[in-house]
Amino acid sequence: MLGFNAASKCLIVLIHIIMLCVWPCKSGDQPPNPACRLQIIKAVEEYEYIQEGDIMIGGVMTVDMNAQIITLPSDKSKFKTKLLCFGPNGQNMKYLVDFRFAVEQTNKDPERLPNVTLGYHIYNSCGSSLKAVRSVLQILSGTREPVPNYSCVGKRNIAGFIGDLTSETTLPIAQILTVYGYSQISYGATDPALSDRGTFPYFFRTVQNIHSEFYALGQLLRHFGWTWVGIITSDDISGEEEYKLLAKYLSSAGVCIEFTLKLHKSRQNYVHSVTDHFKKTIAFSSTNVILICGTVILLFFTYLTNANFYQRETIILSSNWGANDALITYNPVLFNYSLVLVPGYHYDLDTPEMRSFLETFHPSNYPEDKLLGDIWMIYLYCLSKDPNKNYIYQYIYFAVPLLQNCTGQERITDIYSFGGNSNSPRVHLAVDMMSRALHDMNMKLYKKTVRNRERFLKSELHQNLKKLQLKSKHGEIFSFNENEEYLTRYKIYSNFITLDGMVTRNFVGEFSPWAPLDQQLSITSKAIPWKTIDSKIPRAQCTDNCLPGYRKMPIPEVQPCCYDCVPCSETEISNIIDSVSCTQCPDMEWPNEMKDQCVQRNEVFLSYSNDVISIFFTTISILFSLIIQLIFQVLITYRNTPIVRANNRSLSFLLLVSIKLSFLSVFLFLGRPVDITCMLRNITFGITFSIAVSSLLAKTIMVCVAFKATKPGSSWRKWVGVKLSNSVVLFCSSIQIIICMTWLAISPPFQELDLHTYPGTIIIQCNEGSAIGFYSVIGYMGLLVAVSFVLAFLARTLPDSFNEAKYITFSMLLFCSVWITMIPAYLSTKGKNTVCVEIFAILTSSAGLLACIFLPKCYTILFRAEMNTKTHLLVNKP
């Protein structure tokens, strides 16, 4: 009954009371007490436990798991319908024993409530709201026939109440006790509505509300990677509300629900079609993990626990089911390798004192304890001395298994729940805390009058319970929190069947709500046995995990746990399993082959160490530089010979130096580009080539001027000399220098990182800065070449023994061919290939100039010395 508002809860309580009443008060059969009696549906057995004391604690406890209004054939009374309680549970009986044990401990302790005897008045609610309301009214009235708002046994100092186990029965109890102002401590109700302090100011509990449990359950599933589960819950209000809340927490933990099955409380609902649907749903499901929550329904074990349908499923029990250890004995195969989540307390009851107390529990010692006799019948299959009980057993259980006469040597500790396997002190803790609070109040009672004693107990008990603190042996402090819930950790157990057929519960971890978020769940996965063949963690996923390098892609109209895995895009990675999205790599990094981490991009440039072509260019440049050095030596040696002097040796030396610098400028294009090399490389080869071409232009002009000056009376004679050639070279070179300086001043070249041309690489290159500047340098150089070519072409036929015009013509033709071809190649390539094209053009054009201009001279000087004489010059001169 989760989530009901206060008004609806009050209405439910009223309905329960009305249902209990068969008719209103009658005038004919008046009791001795003038108060009206409610004619309430009676129970076949009341299961009342009472021990008088100076201070009384009321108890409403669920021992029988079911209650049904029936008509017994043997019932001859006026009211044929009665409330039959059946299905006593060993664990619940243990809680009742813990209650009585806690009271006995208190009375034996001379330091606790001195000179005061603590008593109790307990009824079995049978898990029925009707019976729970009746039980509360019986305790308040003090009689078997409840009289609301009256106490029929004089002054009974009832201090408070303990109970109940389920939210369904605890809520109406809390509504009634709130009206009367009695404090109540529940030992199992987890309804979040009970945390409302305005509606239930006197309510306490030794468990936490269901929110904390479901949050812990979601973290447990997340820990094992279980995102696809099935749920079995009860088909009642409590089960429905628990399912909604559980689904909410599972969704926040990234867990989806494949199927939901609802268990009915009534045997009539389990027709063949229903059970067949349940079994087929489980058999054809893809998940290997099933959660069971809601109200505990024993018919689940009767109709839906065929072992063939649970061979691979791992069962996870909520605290409602898991705290009841006796349930495991109904079907050990079903709960083999199951996980249980239960509240963990700072102490347990497996003590010598408790074991000694249990030894006294035998029907022969407590013949009036009918519940104890029922336990002996249900769990030890002993025939009762009461034939009616044997008949009822046959009526309910169809005499399976058959009852037998017992020897009397049977002990309650032979039952699983009493054998030391179940030591949850939740009821003992509730009684203990109430007695401690009563002790503190008892010290103040001496100052109060006897007449105010009961009122004082009622009004002050809840205040003392709020202040109460318990200390564990490890020094931890425990108390009720702001919602009056006893804050505990959740312990995680694993159940498995031993070789002798016994079910063993092993502690495998815990969930501590007060710990830091990343330390709340502590679990030893290796200590957990699994149903899988290889003993690995079972798979409970709709889709296989997306590996690193992939991301999840939702499938339309399908639950989010079912998805496709798609690889990350070219520039992204994912380094976790089931990544929702991929992460973009930084600009300087690139995904590796698996796309699970970013690695440094490959840097691409003409490297001395990694590129063979760089070694080739270096070798060619050095080789031609050495050749130039040899030619220079030859020209210096033969500088006074006619062939050297006839062609303006100063221009020849300047041309030779500029060509050498052009070869050496290649080294500015090799290696990792930086800003300074980017600025120098184009400027250097542009200026040096301009000087070289200007020198050739000056040579051509001097040939033409010399020819014109040979005519008698020519005015060209004044231009013959070094001044004209030097002026041409200086003027033409200066223009190129001005262009280059302007380029550097306005938009100089700089280092550029190209991240987009080739995936995964960084092309380290030079950006020209200004395309106009770059093409102005090339264009001006082309202009010089064109002018030189035209003049040389026109002067090629002029008579002169050492006329270089024809060699200059050919060199300019070669130069133009190389650079015209270079431009489209330069524009169509990227990265270091562009640099290779530029270097190739520099080397080829420089080598062409060197070969066309200086090789003929060297050949003549070295191999045709007879031609390098003044006599030969005069003979061939026209």
Side-chain angles (χ1 to χ4, degrees):
M1 298 173 69
L2 303 172
F4 271 35
N5 56 37
S8 64
K9 288 172 183 171
C10 292
L11 180 62
I12 290 174
V13 175
L14 292 175
I15 292 173
H16 285 151
I17 296 176
I18 292 171
M19 290 178 65
L20 289 171
C21 306
V22 178
W23 54 66
C25 297
K26 297 186 298 182
S27 59
D29 187 19
Q30 294 290 338
N33 193 311
C36 278
R37 291 184 183 272
L38 288 174
Q39 299 295 327
I40 298 177
I41 297 176
K42 297 181 179 179
V44 176
E45 293 289 351
E46 289 291 351
Y47 299 115
E48 179 186 24
Y49 296 84
I50 184 168
Q51 177 180 304
E52 296 293 343
D54 300 319
I55 300 176
M56 301 286 289
I57 297 178
V60 181
M61 308 184 69
T62 297
V63 179
D64 284 297
M65 299 292 291
N66 297 282
Q68 188 174 353
I69 298 176
I70 63 170
T71 300
L72 293 177
S74 58
D75 191 0
K76 305 297 183 181
S77 66
K78 185 176 181 181
F79 298 99
K80 296 183 180 299
T81 57
K82 284 190 176 183
L83 197 66
L84 175 65
C85 296
F86 61 94
N89 182 268
Q91 177 64 57
N92 295 348
M93 184 65 183
K94 176 67 164 52
Y95 289 146
L96 175 61
V97 174
D98 291 345
F99 191 127
R100 299 166 66 179
F101 174 67
V103 172
E104 182 175 299
Q105 272 188 317
T106 300
N107 290 330
K108 287 183 178 180
D109 186 355
E111 302 296 327
R112 183 87 60 88
L113 292 171
N115 302 320
V116 175
T117 302
L118 187 64
Y120 55 78
H121 193 179
I122 306 172
Y123 276 98
N124 175 16
S125 71
C126 307
S128 167
S129 300
L130 298 175
K131 184 69 167 62
V133 170
R134 173 186 172 89
S135 299
V136 171
L137 297 178
Q138 285 176 310
I139 295 172
L140 292 175
S141 302
T143 60
R144 284 291 185 95
E145 292 301 322
V147 183
N149 214 33
Y150 281 90
S151 176
C152 303
V153 290
K155 295 296 181 181
R156 299 186 78 200
N157 293 321
I158 297 179
F161 282 76
I162 305 296
D164 195 358
L165 177 64
T166 66
S167 299
E168 189 176 4
T169 56
T170 303
L171 275 165
I173 295 173
Q175 287 284 359
I176 294 174
L177 296 181
T178 298
V179 174
Y180 289 107
Y182 282 103
S183 297
Q184 173 191 0
I185 304 179
S186 170
Y187 61 94
T190 58
D191 190 335
L194 291 167
S195 299
D196 185 352
R197 306 319 301 159
T199 307
F200 303 103
Y202 305 104
F203 180 80
F204 299 80
R205 47 184 162 188
T206 55
V207 294
Q208 299 174 73
N209 68 64
I210 202 71
H211 283 282
S212 57
E213 178 187 344
F214 285 169
Y215 174 76
L217 189 57
Q219 298 305 305
L220 177 66
L221 296 177
R222 192 172 182 176
H223 173 79
F224 289 114
W226 293 333
T227 59
W228 189 242
V229 300
I231 293 181
I232 298 177
T233 187
S234 54
D235 188 17
D236 55 11
I237 297 177
S238 181
E240 179 66 23
E241 295 298 325
E242 278 194 25
Y243 168 75
K244 291 179 180 178
L245 194 59
L246 177 58
K248 174 183 174 182
Y249 277 97
L250 293 185
S251 177
S252 64
V255 181
C256 299
I257 301 171
E258 181 184 9
F259 65 84
T260 302
L261 298 177
K262 295 184 178 181
L263 302 175
H264 305 288
K265 284 188 174 182
S266 174
R267 177 177 291 150
Q268 287 78 10
N269 291 323
Y270 287 94
V271 296
H272 177 74
S273 60
V274 173
T275 57
D276 189 56
H277 166 69
F278 280 21
K279 293 177 180 179
K280 284 184 177 180
T281 300
I282 295 173
F284 291 103
S285 67
S286 59
T287 183
N288 290 319
V289 175
I290 298 177
L291 279 61
I292 301 181
C293 63
T295 306
V296 177
I297 297 177
L298 296 180
L299 290 176
F300 169 70
F301 301 98
T302 304
Y303 293 98
L304 300 174
T305 56
N306 189 327
N308 294 330
F309 295 100
Y310 299 94
Q311 291 181 351
R312 60 182 175 88
E313 287 82 6
T314 295
I315 305 297
I316 300 179
L317 301 174
S318 66
S319 61
N320 290 347
W321 292 71
N324 201 325
D325 297 342
L327 293 178
I328 301 174
T329 60
Y330 281 93
N331 194 321
V333 176
L334 169 65
F335 294 111
N336 193 24
Y337 304 111
S338 64
L339 294 177
V340 180
L341 196 69
V342 295
Y345 298 88
H346 59 281
Y347 73 100
D348 61 44
L349 293 178
D350 189 19
T351 63
E353 187 180 4
M354 183 64 181
R355 288 193 290 269
S356 176
F357 183 77
L358 290 175
E359 289 296 327
T360 64
F361 271 83
H362 194 279
S364 60
N365 298 332
Y366 298 94
E368 75 286 355
D369 192 341
K370 297 180 180 180
L371 265 179
L372 187 60
D374 291 347
I375 292 293
W376 236 253
M377 178 183 294
I378 298 299
Y379 286 90
L380 300 177
Y381 313 122
C382 294
L383 278 168
S384 173
K385 295 179 181 180
D386 185 354
N388 289 330
K389 273 196 172 184
N390 297 331
Y391 171 78
I392 292 174
Y393 176 85
Q394 293 178 0
Y395 175 78
I396 296 174
Y397 301 103
F398 307 103
V400 179
L402 293 176
L403 299 178
Q404 58 188 0
N405 290 315
C406 291
T407 63
Q409 301 301 316
E410 294 80 12
R411 294 290 177 264
I412 198 170
T413 52
D414 296 335
I415 301 172
Y416 181 85
S417 300
F418 293 86
N421 301 301
S422 175
N423 304 302
S424 175
R426 55 172 65 186
V427 174
H428 183 275
L429 176 65
V431 178
D432 183 65
M433 295 192 76
M434 187 169 285
S435 68
R436 288 176 185 272
L438 290 172
H439 172 77
D440 295 338
M441 295 169 61
N442 189 57
M443 298 297 100
K444 304 174 184 178
L445 279 176
Y446 294 109
K447 302 178 183 179
K448 304 288 179 179
T449 62
V450 175
R451 190 178 65 178
N452 294 331
R453 182 185 185 94
E454 184 175 7
R455 183 179 301 174
F456 176 76
L457 290 175
K458 286 174 53 177
S459 62
E460 297 296 324
L461 179 57
H462 73 285
Q463 297 294 343
N464 281 266
L465 285 172
K466 290 180 180 180
K467 301 174 184 177
L468 194 62
Q469 291 185 338
L470 299 182
K471 190 174 184 179
S472 70
K473 60 182 179 181
H474 301 296
E476 297 174 302
I477 302 297
F478 295 91
S479 62
F480 291 111
N481 63 11
E482 65 277 4
N483 293 324
E484 315 308 345
E485 301 168 1
Y486 194 79
L487 190 62
T488 64
R489 58 176 55 88
Y490 285 97
K491 292 188 175 181
I492 304 169
Y493 293 92
S494 174
N495 299 316
F496 68 95
I497 304 175
T498 60
L499 295 177
D500 57 358
M502 297 297 294
V503 177
T504 302
R505 172 170 288 185
N506 286 344
F507 174 77
V508 295
E510 64 181 16
F511 181 87
S512 302
W514 52 79
L517 288 177
D518 58 341
Q519 301 176 17
Q520 288 182 328
L521 183 63
S522 173
I523 191 166
T524 307
S525 302
K526 294 182 179 179
I528 304 176
W530 304 105
K531 285 184 178 181
T532 53
I533 298 176
D534 53 3
S535 296
K536 291 184 178 180
I537 297 175
R539 180 184 179 276
Q541 295 172 289
C542 177
T543 306
D544 290 334
N545 294 111
C546 289
L547 299 176
Y550 292 80
R551 66 172 178 85
K552 297 193 292 186
M553 186 179 72
I555 302 174
E557 300 180 358
V558 177
Q559 294 196 64
C561 298
C562 303
Y563 47 82
D564 289 329
C565 295
V566 295
C568 294
S569 63
E570 192 176 60
T571 60
E572 295 179 328
I573 65 162
S574 64
N575 52 12
I576 59 174
I577 294 177
D578 284 341
S579 177
V580 177
S581 61
C582 297
T583 304
Q584 185 80 23
C585 283
D587 288 341
M588 301 303 292
E589 295 181 351
W590 188 259
N592 62 352
E593 185 177 355
M594 302 298 295
K595 291 189 177 181
D596 58 359
Q597 62 177 338
C598 294
V599 296
Q600 191 69 29
R601 289 176 181 249
N602 295 324
E603 295 182 344
V604 176
F605 57 89
L606 276 179
S607 170
Y608 288 105
S609 57
N610 298 329
D611 293 298
V612 176
I613 195 168
S614 295
I615 300 174
F616 173 75
F617 286 147
T618 301
T619 304
I620 296 298
S621 181
I622 293 175
L623 177 62
F624 275 97
S625 297
L626 294 177
I627 292 174
I628 291 173
Q629 188 65 35
L630 292 176
I631 294 173
F632 200 87
Q633 291 295 330
V634 171
L635 295 182
I636 290 293
T637 303
Y638 298 95
R639 63 184 178 278
N640 294 320
T641 60
I643 197 171
V644 177
R645 295 181 63 186
N647 298 117
N648 196 333
R649 61 187 175 189
S650 60
L651 287 179
S652 298
F653 291 150
L654 180 60
L655 177 59
L656 202 59
V657 171
S658 62
I659 293 175
K660 183 175 183 180
L661 290 176
S662 297
F663 278 115
L664 295 178
S665 68
V666 169
F667 291 100
L668 295 174
F669 292 83
L670 301 176
R672 184 187 181 94
V674 294
D675 289 342
I676 187 63
T677 57
C678 288
M679 288 188 289
L680 290 177
R681 56 167 60 172
N682 289 325
I683 301 300
T684 301
F685 95 82
I687 292 175
T688 55
F689 267 100
S690 295
I691 294 173
V693 177
S694 297
S695 300
L696 293 176
L697 179 59
K699 278 178 171 286
T700 306
I701 292 173
M702 288 306 296
V703 170
C704 295
V705 170
F707 177 76
K708 296 288 187 179
T710 57
K711 296 180 180 180
S714 175
S715 60
W716 290 94
R717 286 180 179 274
K718 62 181 179 179
W719 297 104
V720 177
V722 296
K723 289 184 179 181
L724 178 61
S725 60
N726 292 340
S727 298
V728 171
V729 173
L730 182 61
F731 176 77
C732 295
S733 300
S734 297
I735 294 176
Q736 185 70 288
I737 292 172
I738 291 172
I739 293 174
C740 291
M741 293 303 104
T742 304
W743 181 15
L744 291 178
I746 296 176
S747 181
F750 57 89
Q751 182 200 64
E752 180 184 51
L753 303 180
D754 182 1
L755 307 176
H756 308 292
T757 301
Y758 299 114
T761 61
I762 302 175
I763 299 176
I764 304 177
Q765 61 187 10
C766 289
N767 187 303
E768 288 82 6
S770 172
I772 295 176
F774 175 74
Y775 288 109
S776 295
V777 170
I778 300 298
Y780 178 72
M781 194 167 58
L783 177 62
L784 292 179
V785 171
V787 173
S788 298
F789 174 74
V790 171
L791 291 178
F793 181 78
L794 296 175
R796 72 187 188 284
T797 59
L798 294 178
D800 193 337
S801 299
F802 299 100
N803 187 1
E804 290 182 305
K806 53 181 175 291
Y807 301 119
I808 294 174
T809 302
F810 186 75
S811 65
M812 291 299 99
L813 184 61
L814 176 62
F815 191 95
C816 290
S817 301
V818 170
W819 284 95
I820 291 174
T821 307
M822 185 276 294
I823 291 175
Y826 180 86
L827 295 174
S828 62
T829 55
K830 294 290 185 180
K832 63 182 180 181
N833 295 331
T834 303
V835 180
C836 289
V837 169
E838 197 168 357
I839 292 175
F840 179 78
I842 294 172
L843 291 177
T844 305
S845 56
S846 298
L849 291 177
L850 183 64
C852 293
I853 304 301
F854 292 101
L855 286 185
K857 290 183 179 182
C858 292
Y859 175 78
T860 302
I861 293 171
L862 297 177
F863 301 104
R864 301 292 297 272
E866 70 278 3
M867 297 176 62
N868 189 18
T869 61
K870 190 174 183 180
T871 304
H872 185 270
L873 174 64
L874 294 175
V875 169
N876 290 281
K877 189 173 181 179

Coordinates of all heavy atoms in Angstrom, one line a residue, residues 499-528:
L499 N 26.5 -30.5 -0.5 CA 26.4 -31.8 -1.0 C 25.4 -32.7 -0.2 O 24.8 -33.6 -0.7 CB 27.8 -32.5 -0.9 CG 28.9 -31.9 -1.8 CD1 30.2 -32.6 -1.5 CD2 28.5 -32.0 -3.2
D500 N 25.2 -32.3 1.1 CA 24.2 -33.0 1.9 C 22.8 -32.5 1.7 O 21.9 -32.9 2.5 CB 24.6 -33.0 3.4 CG 24.8 -31.6 3.9 OD1 24.6 -30.6 3.1 OD2 25.1 -31.4 5.1
G501 N 22.6 -31.6 0.8 CA 21.2 -31.1 0.5 C 20.8 -29.9 1.3 O 19.7 -29.4 1.2
M502 N 21.7 -29.4 2.2 CA 21.3 -28.3 3.0 C 21.6 -27.0 2.3 O 22.6 -26.9 1.5 CB 22.1 -28.3 4.3 CG 21.8 -29.5 5.2 SD 20.1 -29.5 5.7 CE 20.0 -28.1 6.8
V503 N 20.8 -26.0 2.6 CA 21.0 -24.6 2.0 C 21.9 -23.8 2.9 O 21.6 -23.7 4.1 CB 19.7 -23.9 1.7 CG1 20.0 -22.5 1.2 CG2 18.8 -24.7 0.8
T504 N 23.0 -23.3 2.4 CA 23.9 -22.5 3.1 C 23.9 -21.1 2.6 O 23.9 -20.8 1.4 CB 25.4 -23.1 3.0 OG1 25.4 -24.4 3.4 CG2 26.4 -22.3 3.8
R505 N 24.0 -20.2 3.6 CA 23.9 -18.7 3.2 C 25.3 -18.1 3.6 O 25.7 -18.2 4.7 CB 22.8 -18.0 4.0 CG 22.8 -16.5 3.9 CD 21.6 -15.9 4.4 NE 20.4 -16.1 3.6 CZ 19.2 -15.6 3.8 NH1 19.0 -14.8 4.9 NH2 18.2 -15.9 3.0
N506 N 26.0 -17.6 2.6 CA 27.3 -17.1 2.7 C 27.3 -15.6 2.5 O 26.7 -15.1 1.6 CB 28.3 -17.7 1.7 CG 28.7 -19.1 2.1 OD1 28.5 -19.5 3.2 ND2 29.3 -19.8 1.2
F507 N 28.0 -14.8 3.4 CA 28.1 -13.4 3.3 C 29.1 -13.1 2.2 O 30.2 -13.5 2.2 CB 28.5 -12.8 4.6 CG 28.8 -11.3 4.6 CD1 27.8 -10.4 4.6 CD2 30.1 -10.9 4.5 CE1 28.1 -9.1 4.5 CE2 30.4 -9.5 4.5 CZ 29.4 -8.6 4.5
V508 N 28.6 -12.2 1.2 CA 29.5 -11.9 0.1 C 29.7 -10.4 -0.1 O 30.6 -10.0 -0.9 CB 28.9 -12.4 -1.3 CG1 28.9 -14.0 -1.2 CG2 27.5 -11.9 -1.5
G509 N 29.0 -9.6 0.7 CA 29.2 -8.1 0.5 C 28.2 -7.4 1.3 O 27.3 -7.9 2.0
E510 N 28.3 -6.0 1.2 CA 27.4 -5.2 1.9 C 27.3 -3.8 1.2 O 28.1 -3.4 0.5 CB 27.8 -5.0 3.4 CG 29.1 -4.3 3.6 CD 29.5 -4.1 5.0 OE1 28.9 -4.9 5.9 OE2 30.4 -3.3 5.3
F511 N 26.2 -3.1 1.5 CA 25.9 -1.8 1.0 C 25.8 -0.9 2.2 O 24.9 -1.0 3.0 CB 24.7 -1.8 0.1 CG 24.4 -0.4 -0.5 CD1 25.0 -0.1 -1.6 CD2 23.5 0.5 0.2 CE1 24.7 1.2 -2.2 CE2 23.3 1.7 -0.4 CZ 23.9 2.1 -1.6
S512 N 26.6 0.1 2.3 CA 26.6 1.1 3.4 C 26.1 2.4 2.9 O 26.9 3.1 2.2 CB 28.0 1.2 4.0 OG 28.5 0.0 4.5
P513 N 24.9 2.8 3.3 CA 24.3 4.1 2.8 C 25.1 5.3 3.2 O 25.0 6.4 2.6 CB 22.9 4.0 3.2 CG 22.9 3.1 4.4 CD 24.0 2.1 4.1
W514 N 25.8 5.2 4.3 CA 26.5 6.4 4.9 C 27.9 6.6 4.3 O 28.5 7.6 4.6 CB 26.5 6.4 6.4 CG 27.1 5.1 6.9 CD1 28.4 4.7 6.9 CD2 26.4 4.0 7.4 NE1 28.6 3.4 7.4 CE2 27.3 3.0 7.7 CE3 25.0 3.7 7.6 CZ2 26.9 1.7 8.3 CZ3 24.7 2.5 8.1 CH2 25.6 1.5 8.4
A515 N 28.3 5.6 3.5 CA 29.7 5.7 2.9 C 29.7 6.6 1.7 O 28.6 7.0 1.2 CB 30.2 4.3 2.6
P516 N 30.9 7.1 1.3 CA 31.0 7.9 0.0 C 30.4 7.1 -1.1 O 30.3 5.8 -1.1 CB 32.5 8.1 -0.1 CG 33.0 8.0 1.2 CD 32.2 7.0 2.0
L517 N 29.9 7.8 -2.1 CA 29.1 7.2 -3.2 C 29.9 6.0 -3.9 O 29.3 5.0 -4.2 CB 28.7 8.2 -4.2 CG 27.6 9.2 -3.8 CD1 27.4 10.2 -4.9 CD2 26.3 8.4 -3.5
D518 N 31.2 6.2 -4.1 CA 32.0 5.2 -4.8 C 32.4 4.1 -3.9 O 33.1 3.2 -4.3 CB 33.2 5.9 -5.4 CG 34.1 6.6 -4.4 OD1 33.6 6.9 -3.3 OD2 35.3 6.8 -4.7
Q519 N 32.1 4.2 -2.6 CA 32.5 3.1 -1.6 C 31.3 2.5 -0.9 O 31.5 1.7 0.0 CB 33.4 3.7 -0.6 CG 34.7 4.3 -1.2 CD 35.6 5.0 -0.1 OE1 35.4 4.8 1.1 NE2 36.5 5.9 -0.5
Q520 N 30.1 2.8 -1.4 CA 28.9 2.3 -0.7 C 28.8 0.8 -0.9 O 28.4 0.1 0.1 CB 27.6 3.0 -1.2 CG 27.5 4.4 -0.8 CD 26.2 5.1 -1.3 OE1 25.8 4.8 -2.4 NE2 25.7 6.0 -0.5
L521 N 29.0 0.3 -2.1 CA 28.9 -1.1 -2.4 C 30.2 -1.8 -2.3 O 31.2 -1.4 -3.0 CB 28.3 -1.4 -3.8 CG 28.1 -2.8 -4.2 CD1 27.0 -3.5 -3.2 CD2 27.6 -2.9 -5.6
S522 N 30.3 -2.8 -1.4 CA 31.5 -3.6 -1.2 C 31.2 -5.0 -1.4 O 30.4 -5.6 -0.6 CB 32.2 -3.3 0.1 OG 33.3 -4.2 0.4
I523 N 31.7 -5.7 -2.4 CA 31.2 -7.0 -2.7 C 32.4 -7.8 -3.3 O 33.2 -7.3 -4.0 CB 30.1 -7.1 -3.7 CG1 29.4 -8.5 -3.8 CG2 30.4 -6.5 -5.1 CD1 28.1 -8.5 -4.5
T524 N 32.5 -9.1 -2.9 CA 33.6 -10.0 -3.4 C 33.0 -10.9 -4.4 O 32.4 -11.9 -4.1 CB 34.2 -10.8 -2.2 OG1 34.6 -9.9 -1.2 CG2 35.4 -11.6 -2.7
S525 N 33.1 -10.5 -5.7 CA 32.5 -11.3 -6.7 C 33.0 -12.7 -6.8 O 32.3 -13.7 -7.2 CB 32.7 -10.6 -8.1 OG 32.1 -9.3 -8.0
K526 N 34.3 -12.9 -6.5 CA 34.9 -14.2 -6.7 C 34.4 -15.2 -5.6 O 34.5 -16.4 -5.8 CB 36.4 -14.1 -6.5 CG 37.1 -13.3 -7.7 CD 38.6 -13.2 -7.5 CE 39.3 -12.5 -8.6 NZ 40.7 -12.4 -8.5
A527 N 33.8 -14.7 -4.6 CA 33.3 -15.6 -3.5 C 31.9 -16.0 -3.8 O 31.3 -16.8 -3.1 CB 33.3 -14.8 -2.2
I528 N 31.3 -15.6 -4.9 CA 29.9 -15.9 -5.2 C 29.9 -17.1 -6.2 O 30.4 -17.0 -7.3 CB 29.2 -14.7 -5.8 CG1 29.3 -13.5 -4.9 CG2 27.7 -15.1 -6.1 CD1 28.6 -12.3 -5.4

